[in-house]
Amino acid sequence: MKQLSSSVHIAVALTGASGAIYGITLIQQLLHCGHRVSFLVSAAGRQVMALEQGLTWSEDLVQFQQQAREFFNDEQQNLFCYGEQEFTAPLASGSSAADAMVVVPSSMGTVARIATGISGNLIERVADVMLKERRPLVVVPRETPFNTIHLQNLLTLSQTGAIILPAMPAFYSQPQTMDELISFVVGKIFDSLDLPHQLFKRWGEKE
Ligand SMILES: Cc1cc2nc3c(=O)[nH]c(=O)nc-3n(C[C@H](O)[C@H](O)[C@H](O)COP(=O)(O)O)c2cc1C
């Protein structure tokens, strides 16, 4: 994959799969590193975030952005929020595409719709733009067990150029907290985007 430059524009989409904390932590870390983030959330993603994290975002886009900038303590104003049906958003066009996109967590529904090119909401459209422009698209699916339809759709995405990065933390570093498990997955997303990070200790790395 092409090396991304020091400060990049990443679209982060949270959909209605369990594991909203992965997406939230990714946004926090990207902003912390000075990257620009476009935050997309599906209607089901909003429900899961409310249920798992107690986070309720306004349906009003101006308020949504204000709330999110406050929540993420985004003093640099690097965070931009978009509605699910906001097809006029710049990043919906290949001429103004983000440098990369991460769908985290990704529901099996969103996986299926990206794999079949539906582009029925902004998340699916931006993912479609990433694939057609040959830019990095990282999909973090969350479901267990997978059925054959899930696996076939994930294979289609992988064959089309997406990186399939399941939310599967490793245990060889003997994690003691949930934060460490989350940081491992988020660190792997940084790795897949060629972005430097210190989110986990690498195998063989000294303290
Ligand atoms: C609490 C909760 C957890 C869910 N977890 C998952 C999940 O882990 N994986 C999944 O594929 N769907 C999950 N779903 C179902 C999706 O939200 C549902 O299929 C939805 O249509 C996905 O829409 P979206 O892809 O537009 O976000 C969950 C739903 C709820 C309410």
Side-chain angles (χ1 to χ4, degrees):
M1 183 184 301
K2 187 180 79 169
Q3 181 83 31
L4 294 177
S5 60
S6 55
S7 178
V8 290
H9 174 199
I10 310 289
V12 180
L14 278 81
T15 72
S18 185
I21 190 65
Y22 292 118
I24 289 165
T25 306
L26 176 65
I27 293 174
Q28 277 166 343
Q29 291 297 326
L30 288 170
L31 291 173
H32 176 73
C33 295
H35 301 299
R36 179 176 160 192
V37 175
S38 288
F39 177 18
L40 315 176
V41 57
S42 70
R46 283 170 178 270
Q47 288 183 32
V48 175
M49 254 191 283
L51 206 140
E52 292 186 344
Q53 301 297 319
L55 283 173
T56 310
W57 307 112
S58 174
E59 296 284 345
D60 177 89
L61 290 179
V62 176
Q63 280 186 31
F64 173 28
Q65 178 142 312
Q66 272 173 2
Q67 284 176 335
R69 282 186 173 171
E70 269 175 41
F71 175 80
F72 289 106
N73 200 16
D74 174 35
E75 286 169 6
Q76 309 296 318
Q77 305 205 334
N78 276 334
L79 180 65
F80 298 85
C81 300
Y82 296 97
E84 202 188 20
Q85 294 301 317
E86 209 177 336
F87 292 107
T88 54
L91 74 172
S93 164
S95 65
S96 193
D99 295 307
M101 179 184 199
V102 185
V103 186
V104 53
S106 184
S107 74
M108 292 304 107
T110 291
V111 164
R113 290 188 299 273
I114 298 172
T116 46
I118 302 274
S119 288
N121 65 22
L122 185 61
I123 293 171
E124 294 153 26
R125 168 62 187 165
V126 174
D128 200 63
V129 168
M130 290 295 114
L131 293 173
K132 84 184 175 78
E133 300 295 335
R134 305 286 195 264
R135 295 199 181 189
L137 169 63
V138 180
V139 175
V140 183
R142 214 307 310 177
E143 188 49 275
T144 194
F146 286 131
N147 66 33
T148 307
I149 296 169
H150 301 150
L151 292 168
Q152 281 173 337
N153 287 331
L154 289 168
L155 178 63
T156 299
L157 286 184
S158 175
Q159 287 172 334
T160 315
I163 295 167
I164 309 302
L165 195 154
M168 289 182 186
F171 289 83
Y172 49 69
S173 59
Q174 300 177 340
Q176 303 297 310
T177 65
M178 203 162 91
D179 274 357
E180 289 178 74
L181 297 173
I182 295 162
S183 290
F184 181 85
V185 172
V186 173
K188 293 295 282 188
I189 296 172
F190 267 70
D191 279 355
S192 70
L193 297 173
D194 280 332
L195 295 175
H197 70 86
Q198 294 191 319
L199 286 156
F200 58 75
K201 194 160 69 73
R202 294 179 190 282
W203 179 244
E205 201 174 64
K206 298 267 184 301
E207 284 300 334

